[in-house]
Amino acid sequence: MTEFWLISAPGDKTCQQTWDKMMAATTRTNNLSTNHKFNIPDLKVGTLDVLVGLSDELAKLDSFVEGVVKKVAQYMADVLEDSRDKVQENLLANGVDLVTYITRFQWDMAKYPIKQSLKNISEIISKQVTQIDNDLKTRASAYNNLKGNLQNLERKNAGSLLTRSLADIVKKDDFVLDSEYLITLLVVVPKTGYSDWQKAYETLAEMVVPRSSHLLFEDSDSGLFSVTLFRKAIDDFKHKARENKFTVRDFQYNEEEMKADKEEMTRLSTDKKKQFGPLVRWLKVNFSEAFIAWIHIKALRVFVESVLRYGLPVNFQAMLLQPNKKTMKKLREVLNDLYKHLDSSAAAIIDVSASIILNTE
């Protein structure tokens, strides 16, 4: 986890002096943090009423956009499945890693023209990220349904012999088919009970065909045996098999159904592979878009809060601090001490301003 503090301090005679003072207090003598200037362009201030209203709206929009960023990132991890170690390389902003993007932040004039009012810019971001959120729901739903159907089929072909599908285990030659009198049953026998089965199966009911049992498949616990008997003896055989801890599986050999199941699995698997590439590309592009929008929201919030706290003309320096984990408490004390001459609400800007926490592991 990488944590950043985005703070704003009123300009002294120049903003550079504000920067130098903060650097001297936090970096040059005590190495409390790594600092970067956070460049916010000359945005349109508007009226005080608009700024006050925007302050609340931007806080809500910040939470919403952060939520979408996290959702897209989490879904990327879900989609990559066994390649989760590649998540980080796919979560970029403007083609660079997230820390680089934040520490070298430049306002995107093309996406968010600064000639627009602050409210308009926030509405542009809100519409853009809402669209991403809606698209994510639609795409995730379609892909999850496909993935779920495939997993259900795969689950049918996995597990123990007591529950799994037997279609991919048995062959046509294992059965007596199209007989009016005879039928082949499939029986699951624990490995510890093989000798008991061989001794007992011919006498579990009348009309069992002698020497008709064959071991067709084994897993770690059990074996699947075939046995042929007369149809009229089925119920009696099943009852006696249960008493002896042998499990008769309900199975009818139907070539068309088995072929349809295999074709369905192939189709779903092919569809999933076809959708995987475009979905990952969409997630990459839209993670970048949502993350960029999120950092622009942070910039808007710092601008609005700074104007409300420090007044006009606009004169403040926004700064991005990456605290050293062991000295966070000390850093907070130094910053509070540095700006304690401000009024009480401004002195609390460290708590009010934006905290950005990135998963960069």
Side-chain angles (χ1 to χ4, degrees):
M1 299 283 281
T2 303
E3 181 168 340
F4 291 93
W5 295 355
L6 183 52
I7 70 169
S8 163
D12 292 317
K13 287 182 182 176
T14 66
C15 287
Q16 185 62 38
Q17 282 181 315
T18 304
W19 169 256
D20 291 340
K21 189 187 289 186
M22 200 273 298
M23 286 293 286
T26 63
T27 301
R28 290 185 188 131
T29 56
N30 46 18
N31 195 29
L32 297 176
S33 60
T34 304
N35 306 327
H36 308 269
K37 284 185 180 178
F38 191 79
N39 297 309
I40 300 175
D42 294 327
L43 300 168
K44 278 190 169 184
V45 175
T47 66
L48 182 63
D49 283 351
V50 168
L51 289 178
V52 171
L54 265 177
S55 178
D56 287 338
E57 287 174 24
L58 288 172
K60 291 173 188 169
L61 186 55
D62 188 342
S63 295
F64 168 67
V65 177
E66 181 182 1
V68 174
V69 168
K70 288 179 175 175
K71 274 196 277 187
V72 177
Q74 181 56 55
Y75 197 61
M76 174 73 84
D78 293 346
V79 169
L80 289 176
E81 294 179 32
D82 297 336
S83 306
R84 278 172 177 254
D85 55 327
K86 293 189 175 146
V87 168
Q88 212 55 50
E89 66 192 58
N90 284 293
L91 299 180
L92 305 175
N94 252 2
V96 297
D97 67 85
L98 307 184
V99 170
T100 300
Y101 178 79
I102 292 176
T103 54
R104 297 180 188 172
F105 175 73
Q106 293 293 325
W107 187 274
D108 192 325
M109 302 288 184
K111 278 196 183 98
Y112 314 115
I114 59 173
K115 288 181 180 177
Q116 298 261 10
S117 69
L118 296 174
K119 188 161 184 61
N120 281 359
I121 294 172
S122 72
E123 285 173 354
I124 289 169
I125 293 175
S126 178
K127 284 177 186 172
Q128 175 198 9
V129 178
T130 299
Q131 187 62 53
I132 291 172
D133 191 37
N134 290 337
D135 287 352
L136 175 63
K137 287 172 187 166
T138 303
R139 289 168 185 269
S141 176
Y143 190 76
N144 289 348
N145 283 340
L146 179 60
K147 188 173 161 184
N149 290 337
L150 182 59
Q151 283 173 339
N152 286 338
L153 279 179
E154 287 170 343
R155 208 173 288 121
K156 279 171 66 178
N157 292 325
S160 78
L161 284 169
L162 292 168
T163 55
R164 63 167 291 172
S165 167
L166 305 177
D168 61 330
I169 291 174
V170 297
K171 304 187 295 293
K172 189 174 182 179
D173 296 345
D174 297 328
F175 295 85
V176 173
L177 299 172
D178 305 321
S179 167
E180 188 179 344
Y181 300 107
L182 293 173
I183 187 169
T184 300
L185 299 181
L186 299 178
V187 184
V188 178
V189 179
K191 280 190 171 177
T192 53
Y194 279 12
S195 60
D196 292 340
W197 168 258
Q198 293 293 354
K199 289 175 192 169
Y201 81 86
E202 292 180 2
T203 59
L204 291 177
E206 293 181 0
M207 303 185 182
V208 176
V209 177
R211 294 183 295 283
S212 65
S213 180
H214 303 284
L215 177 62
L216 306 181
F217 185 84
E218 285 183 299
D219 63 16
S220 57
D221 302 313
S222 312
L224 184 71
F225 287 83
S226 62
V227 61
T228 301
L229 57 147
F230 278 74
R231 290 179 181 273
K232 61 169 69 175
I234 288 176
D235 289 342
D236 194 26
F237 184 88
K238 284 182 177 180
H239 177 69
K240 289 285 175 43
R242 261 197 312 276
E243 286 181 352
N244 285 272
K245 297 187 169 53
F246 308 137
T247 305
V248 179
R249 288 288 309 269
D250 284 326
F251 182 85
Q252 283 188 320
Y253 186 87
N254 185 316
E255 212 154 11
E256 286 182 10
E257 276 184 21
M258 289 161 64
K259 185 181 174 187
D261 278 354
K262 284 178 184 172
E263 285 174 353
E264 177 69 359
M265 183 173 275
T266 303
R267 183 187 69 76
L268 290 172
S269 183
T270 303
D271 283 355
K272 187 185 171 195
K273 283 174 188 169
K274 275 183 188 172
Q275 288 189 28
F276 176 81
L279 181 57
V280 169
R281 284 193 292 277
W282 184 90
L283 289 167
K284 282 173 73 170
V285 168
N286 286 277
F287 174 83
S288 176
E289 292 294 308
F291 188 84
I292 289 167
W294 185 36
I295 304 306
H296 280 74
I297 287 288
K298 298 288 189 193
L300 281 177
R301 287 189 72 192
V302 171
F303 182 85
V304 169
E305 296 297 330
S306 298
V307 174
L308 285 173
R309 290 168 189 276
Y310 308 140
L312 294 171
V314 175
N315 183 25
F316 67 90
Q317 178 63 56
M319 297 167 279
L320 188 73
L321 281 61
Q322 185 175 349
N324 294 326
K325 286 183 181 177
K326 293 178 181 176
T327 57
M328 281 189 183
K329 186 179 177 186
K330 176 68 174 169
L331 176 61
R332 195 174 282 275
E333 288 170 2
V334 166
L335 291 172
N336 282 332
D337 192 49
L338 188 62
Y339 301 119
K340 68 185 176 187
H341 62 283
L342 302 172
D343 67 54
S344 59
S345 62
I349 192 163
I350 306 302
D351 298 310
V352 174
S353 68
S355 241
I356 305 166
I357 299 179
L358 305 179
N359 249 320
T360 55
E361 293 172 351

